[in-house]
Structures are given as C-alpha cells and as structure tokens.
Amino acid sequence: MSSRQLSVTAIILRSFLIILFFFDVAHADVSHTHGDPVPDNENTKTPLTPKKEGKSYISGSIVLNEFRSVALPIVSTENPGAVINTKFPLTGQTYALMATYGTYITENFKTELRYTTGIKSDTLDEMLKININYAFNWYIGGTLPVTDSFSAYALVGVSFYDADVTRYEVTRKLPGDIGTSEQNIQPSPTEVEDGLFGTKFSMSWMLGFDYMLDENWFLAFEYGRLLKDTDTNIKVYQAGTQLRYEF
C-alpha cells in the first residue's frame, strides 16, 4: 500500500478518534455540571446498551473510494486504433457521499440499503478523470457488542454501480525512430469504456465498528471492498466515517 493510501486512511481514523475524545470530555463535563447521581442500588440500574431488535436506522457518510489495478492503454491522437503503451497498475482516490437505511432483524443481525454518489474525482496520469457516478448496495450481516459503547460488525452483499470517466489529450515526449519526439496522446477510446467497468454488478463486503454517542446516535468507521469488476479486474475499496440515527 502506498504512503498516499496510508495517509488518507490514517487521517480518517485519527479524525474519528478525536471526535470520540471530545465527545467523552463534553459528556463528562455535562454530567459533572448537573451533578448526575451515581446509581447505588439494584433498582436504579438500567441497561447501558439499548436493545436493537426491531429498530430501524438512517445514516449519512463521507467515504473514500480507492480504485486499484486500473490499466490505462495509450494511443496516439493521429492513430487512435493502435495502442502504443499501457500503464498498469494505476491507483486513484475519489470521494463520495453515502446515505443508508437499515433495520435490525434480530439483536445481532441486520440488513441495509445504501446509495452512493461521487463528489470529488481523481485524474490518472493527467489523462483519465474517474469517479463513482453512483452505487446502490444491499448488505446483510452481524453485529457484536465489544463493550457497552463499542460494537463491531461485518456485512456482505451485492452492488450495482456506474463510473464517470473523462479522457484528456496530453503532449508527451516519446521514443521514435530517431531519438524522441513530442506526440499528442490520449487513453484509447475503444479499450477504455465510457463507464470504465465492464460489468455493473459485484459482490461487496464491509467491516466496521461503531461508538454509541447516546441511546439513538452512533458514530462509525468502516472499511471494505465496494466492487471487483470481473471484466477489467479493477477493484474499488471504500473507507468512511458514518453518523447513524436509530429509532
């Protein structure tokens, strides 16, 4: 994994931990200010973790989509039918917003629907701008409490998706019959499809953990594979932070 990939993931994780720290400090200050009593008998004890079964939830997320194993076949503008070079593997990182609606089937089993739309693209080798146009996901999986405040979960499902690509023409010095010369080149219009991917459906998986802010609000961090295109072998991994409301 490149240093760029590590730095972005580290920033998301660090932001998540900072939010948790300040929430705990603020919650402790409020409790101290109001002089909340400490339960001292059995009658005042209440479950710290709310029941999940039968509840629904909605959430909003900001996510990083990391494109891996992207091949970029390059052609001369004068002869777009002949590939003169292929750059592989290339990696791109884009950002998206995601909305989720889910429900708990049992105390430790849930299912959900997600919709993702891209908000920030990336350009590969200054020639191919890529982004997730949209993605629809269905997930099902289990969640397990780790402490009174933290839970871990694992989800598996299917995704329907589409990418947005834009080709650019650039001028590069390339080797010729005699020395090097400047040529106008671009991604192959025949081998790089308009949607980037050769398929529209893929298996997906997601791993995450969440922190209970109060009985209804949760903050989550997750990482997984959004898609693997079996035609081009491009993979898109996803990392994000999620604010969830359960009702």
Side-chain angles (χ1 to χ4, degrees):
M1 183 177 290
S2 69
S3 59
R4 183 187 180 195
Q5 299 165 13
L6 286 172
S7 63
V8 173
T9 303
I11 289 171
I12 294 175
L13 181 57
R14 191 177 301 134
S15 301
F16 177 78
L17 294 175
I18 290 173
I19 291 171
L20 294 187
F21 171 77
F22 280 106
F23 178 83
D24 281 340
V25 171
H27 186 268
D29 287 343
V30 170
S31 298
H32 177 73
T33 302
H34 289 81
D36 293 344
V38 178
D40 57 358
N41 57 65
E42 292 296 326
N43 295 329
T44 58
K45 290 183 179 179
T46 57
L48 295 179
T49 305
K51 294 296 183 181
K52 300 284 190 179
E53 185 174 356
K55 278 192 170 184
S56 297
Y57 57 87
I58 55 175
S59 68
S61 311
I62 182 167
V63 297
L64 164 72
N65 293 313
E66 185 174 87
F67 292 70
R68 298 183 188 177
S69 303
V70 181
L72 184 61
I74 299 170
V75 299
S76 169
T77 304
E78 297 178 355
N79 185 15
V83 175
I84 58 177
N85 189 22
T86 298
K87 294 201 170 184
F88 176 84
L90 296 178
T91 300
Q93 294 177 336
T94 69
Y95 290 88
L97 295 177
M98 182 172 65
T100 302
Y101 172 79
T103 186
Y104 288 93
I105 303 172
T106 68
E107 196 65 26
N108 300 106
F109 205 60
K110 64 180 181 177
T111 184
E112 60 184 47
L113 297 172
R114 299 184 177 193
Y115 172 74
T116 303
T117 183
I119 57 173
K120 188 177 186 302
S121 59
D122 195 5
T123 303
L124 306 181
D125 200 34
E126 301 180 335
M127 285 186 285
L128 187 68
K129 184 168 73 172
I130 60 174
N131 203 356
I132 291 291
N133 189 16
Y134 62 80
F136 293 95
N137 322 95
W138 171 76
Y139 286 106
I140 192 169
T143 178
L144 182 68
V146 178
T147 67
D148 289 333
S149 299
F150 278 95
S151 295
Y153 58 89
L155 304 172
V156 64
V158 293
S159 296
F160 174 74
Y161 50 83
D162 182 60
D164 182 33
V165 299
T166 304
R167 302 180 188 87
Y168 295 104
E169 181 181 309
V170 298
T171 302
R172 298 276 173 86
K173 285 187 177 181
L174 299 176
D177 296 332
I178 303 177
T180 61
S181 61
E182 289 190 344
Q183 295 187 39
N184 293 328
I185 58 175
Q186 63 181 6
S188 169
T190 57
E191 296 197 27
V192 179
E193 298 188 19
D194 289 338
L196 186 65
F197 304 115
T199 60
K200 293 289 187 180
F201 288 92
S202 174
M203 292 291 295
S204 306
W205 57 266
M206 198 67 59
L207 302 175
F209 62 89
D210 54 44
Y211 178 78
M212 184 175 67
L213 302 177
D214 63 25
E215 186 175 346
N216 300 106
W217 290 95
F218 295 79
L219 189 64
F221 174 81
E222 59 184 25
Y223 178 82
R225 192 186 72 193
L226 176 65
L227 66 94
K228 179 181 179 181
D229 183 32
T230 55
D231 188 30
T232 63
N233 203 37
I234 296 174
K235 295 172 281 291
V236 178
Y237 287 84
Q238 193 173 79
T241 302
Q242 177 186 112
L243 183 63
R244 186 172 74 244
Y245 176 74
E246 298 185 355
F247 54 94

